[in-house]
């Protein structure tokens, strides 16, 4: 499993920007905060909580980014993850 690097938070998208290595190429994607809803229902997660959640779900996030890069639809709820170049 390759690392999923958190680059920061995109305030306008209410998502965290991550970078994943896909076949030797770094791909940037957005992980919406709504996927982290279980952390603090009805509230925005803290940065620490979001980073920990992304680390705990990095395999599924990586799979979603790889699927998007191959023009395939990721499995729900990770179908909400989008590539930066798609946005």
């Amino acid at each position: 499993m390759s690392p999923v690097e958190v680059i920061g938070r995109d305030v306008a998208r209410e998502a965290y920007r991550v970078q994943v290595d896909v076949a030797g190429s770094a791909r940037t994607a957005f992980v919406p905060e709504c996927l982290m809803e279980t952390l603090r229902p009805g509230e925005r997660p803290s940065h620490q909580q979001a980073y920990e959640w992304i680390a705990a779900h990095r395999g599924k996030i990586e799979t979603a980014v790889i699927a998007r890069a191959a023009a395939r639809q990721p499995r729900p709820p990770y179908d909400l993850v989008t590539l930066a170049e798609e946005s």
Side-chain angles (χ1 to χ4, degrees):
M1 181 181 326
S2 67
V4 173
E5 181 183 350
V6 180
I7 300 171
R9 183 170 177 272
D10 187 304
V11 176
R13 286 187 172 89
E14 295 185 344
Y16 277 81
R17 193 177 311 104
V18 299
Q19 197 167 64
V20 176
D21 179 57
V22 178
S25 178
R27 301 299 292 264
T28 301
F30 295 104
V31 178
E33 290 176 342
C34 66
L35 289 176
M36 306 168 201
E37 181 72 18
T38 58
L39 296 174
R40 296 170 75 177
E43 296 181 31
R44 176 173 292 125
S46 70
H47 283 300
Q48 182 68 32
Q49 289 173 319
Y51 277 61
E52 289 173 2
W53 187 93
I54 290 168
H57 295 87
R58 69 184 180 277
K60 291 181 181 180
I61 293 168
E62 179 184 14
T63 299
V65 173
I66 291 169
R68 287 279 185 212
R72 294 190 323 267
Q73 180 77 5
R75 290 183 174 206
Y78 296 92
D79 56 337
L80 298 175
V81 173
T82 58
L83 294 177
E85 52 269 21
E86 291 178 344
S87 302

